[in-house]
Amino acid sequence: MQSIENLKFLTRSEVRKVAETFGTPVFVYTRSGIESSCDAALAFPNAFGLTVRFAMKANPNRTILEILKRKGIQIDASSEHEVKRALAAGFLPADILLTSQQLAASLKDLVEQGVQFNACSLRQLEEFGKIFPGREVSVRFNPGLGSGATKKTDVGGRTSSFGIWHEELEKVQSLVSRYDLKLYRVHTHIGSGSDPEVWKAVAQHTLDIASKFPSCRIVNLGGGFKVGRMREEKTTDPQVIGVPVKQLFETFAAEKGTKLRMEIEPGSFLMVNHGAILSKVDDIVDTGKGGFTFVKLDMGMDVNTRPALYAAKHPLVVIPAREEEERKTGDFVYVGHCCESGDLLTQEEGGGPLSRTTQEPRIGDFVVMEGAGAYCSSMSVKNYNSYPETPEVLLDTNGEFKLIRKKQNPEQIVQNEILVPL
Ligand SMILES: *Cc1c(COP(=O)(O)O)cnc(C)c1O
């Protein structure tokens, strides 16, 4: 028997009020929750200074960025387009670090503006060296270890293409000397796992790499603070994983004489449980004995792709349309509204329906999908079936609900299409 999930930051009456005011589906975020996670990240144990960057791909909404900026959080951008979005949101170029799988076409321009560049491959390092010989540069390594929660979120180790493979250190050194570069930051990112031992091992491995570059002043350990969405999932405590990591930095300083500044780049940690999707039960169908009861919501993979992509589990909380109706619990498969058999909101790893124990939903009830603050709005397969992009609402600290992104209108869905003379 699975445990029934609860609402994380909204009350039942707030759910009804938000649904009535803004319609469903709708994202809701809590400012006070985000701010308290910022405080926890900024309190990460460190020996010689700390910079916290928000991995903005997790949730790049303008108001969310503003909340983080006011907390003193800087930016980890994963594409040149994110850099431009962060600049437009008022971040200083120097507060943005670009760590991109794809070489930025605007690299020269962005770096000249003061944006920091993190070379993620030998090719990227060489291109940077050609444009900016003699400059300082930052390099992302693949430390040979990963700790993703699933195969698909693992970003370290031999199965991952992120960063320069740690055995290619000499190639990095020769490019650095060929272009007279000064390597000032060593960066690794291991994925969103929760194992403190892996964190410590990766930190040690990263420091070993840093020790090969006397000009290195900063070590960036990436993101990957696992945040449990479901009750039974673990959450990383920065205070627990941080203490041994801090000691490693102190030992490094004692042995090598360099007091390395530490950077971390949480995405999930700052946002995951501070966002929810409010949806409505549209239909319920049954496939008989040996089959399933399918609950169809008015949202799907166009709002949150994570279940379809990783078989990710999000808490689902049934809120009866009217208060105080007694409901039994039961096992249901929750289904998205897209015409795509993979659009199952509760699914087995590898696909196929997976039952979830919840209160018995009825048509017209609300279902709140929790743990939707990161990698949901930003990662959705927007506009599939021509469903409009979902609006976003912020629960501000004064208790007010504020619209921070409008629902997309039908003209916007087709605005870039051109009907040519035929
Ligand atoms: C995505 C990403 C992060 C954030 O990862 P989380 O698991 O959300 O904390 C940090 N650093 C880099 C380079 C990333 O690509």
Side-chain angles (χ1 to χ4, degrees), residues 53-58 76-78 97 99-100 118 120 140 153 155 162 187-193 199 220-227 264-270 272 374-375:
R53 302 184 178 281
F54 175 49
M56 67 180 278
K57 67 182 186 290
D76 158 35
S78 62
L97 175 64
T99 301
S100 178
N118 194 21
C120 296
R140 176 176 187 173
T153 56
V155 291
F162 293 92
H187 176 285
T188 55
H189 171 58
I190 61 169
S192 305
W199 256 86
N220 183 318
L221 297 172
F225 305 87
K226 164 86 182 153
V227 185
I264 52 172
E265 292 172 339
S268 308
F269 183 81
L270 298 181
V272 162
Y375 305 108

Side-chain angles (χ1 to χ4, degrees), residues 355-375:
S355 287
R356 176 75 66 85
T357 307
T358 65
Q359 280 199 306
E360 185 195 317
R362 296 191 191 145
I363 291 171
D365 282 352
F366 301 109
V367 172
V368 179
M369 178 179 265
E370 290 284 0
Y375 305 108

Side-chain angles (χ1 to χ4, degrees), residues 69-297:
K69 176 151 60 76
R70 290 187 190 189
K71 275 285 176 185
I73 307 277
Q74 300 187 20
I75 289 291
D76 158 35
S78 62
S79 75
E80 60 191 305
H81 308 287
E82 280 192 350
V83 171
K84 289 169 190 169
R85 201 162 169 177
L87 289 170
F91 282 91
L92 299 173
D95 290 347
I96 302 169
L97 175 64
L98 171 62
T99 301
S100 178
Q101 276 286 78
Q102 182 182 332
L103 183 67
S106 55
L107 180 65
K108 185 166 185 288
D109 175 49
L110 295 179
V111 172
E112 278 170 355
Q113 281 184 58
V115 171
Q116 300 184 60
F117 172 67
N118 194 21
C120 296
S121 69
L122 294 169
R123 185 211 166 195
Q124 287 192 7
L125 182 59
E126 174 134 40
E127 292 301 324
F128 180 88
K130 283 184 198 158
I131 309 172
F132 296 110
R135 288 272 192 116
E136 291 202 311
V137 72
S138 166
V139 174
R140 176 176 187 173
F141 287 91
N142 177 340
L145 277 171
S147 83
T150 72
K151 250 189 195 170
K152 287 186 180 172
T153 56
D154 214 338
V155 291
R158 281 196 196 274
T159 56
S160 161
S161 71
F162 293 92
I164 299 174
W165 184 241
H166 63 110
E167 291 167 343
E168 296 188 310
L169 208 85
E170 280 169 26
K171 291 183 188 164
V172 173
Q173 280 164 329
S174 78
L175 282 173
V176 163
S177 62
R178 183 177 320 153
Y179 294 101
D180 189 28
L181 300 170
K182 282 151 208 76
L183 196 155
Y184 74 105
R185 180 194 289 103
V186 167
H187 176 285
T188 55
H189 171 58
I190 61 169
S192 305
S194 61
D195 187 345
E197 283 308 309
V198 176
W199 256 86
K200 193 176 165 190
V202 174
Q204 183 58 62
H205 214 117
T206 310
L207 290 172
D208 290 344
I209 296 170
S211 71
K212 305 288 193 318
F213 298 94
S215 54
C216 180
R217 307 189 307 273
I218 303 170
V219 161
N220 183 318
L221 297 172
F225 305 87
K226 164 86 182 153
V227 185
R229 292 175 169 86
M230 305 290 285
R231 272 171 186 268
E232 65 272 13
E233 288 174 355
K234 281 187 267 176
T235 292
T236 313
D237 181 348
Q239 293 300 323
V240 171
I241 57 164
V243 171
V245 172
K246 177 184 171 190
Q247 284 163 357
L248 295 178
F249 277 66
E250 282 164 350
T251 307
F252 187 95
E255 286 174 2
K256 318 278 181 210
T258 308
K259 294 179 174 174
L260 293 167
R261 186 176 182 84
M262 181 165 69
E263 292 187 347
I264 52 172
E265 292 172 339
S268 308
F269 183 81
L270 298 181
M271 288 302 300
V272 162
N273 285 325
H274 309 314
I277 301 163
L278 274 51
S279 70
K280 210 182 234 180
V281 178
D282 183 72
D283 212 342
I284 300 175
V285 302
D286 204 283
T287 49
K289 201 166 185 302
F292 297 92
T293 303
F294 293 99
V295 179
K296 299 185 183 179
L297 303 183

Side-chain angles (χ1 to χ4, degrees), residues 311-346:
K313 291 192 176 78
H314 287 259
L316 294 169
V317 187
V318 175
I319 308 293
R322 278 171 303 283
E323 194 46 82
E324 307 324 337
E325 289 181 31
E326 274 304 312
R327 294 289 171 82
K328 293 194 295 265
T329 58
D331 292 338
F332 307 95
V333 175
Y334 284 82
V335 184
H337 59 181
C338 291
C339 288
E340 158 56 45
S341 57
D343 194 12
L344 296 170
L345 301 169
T346 53

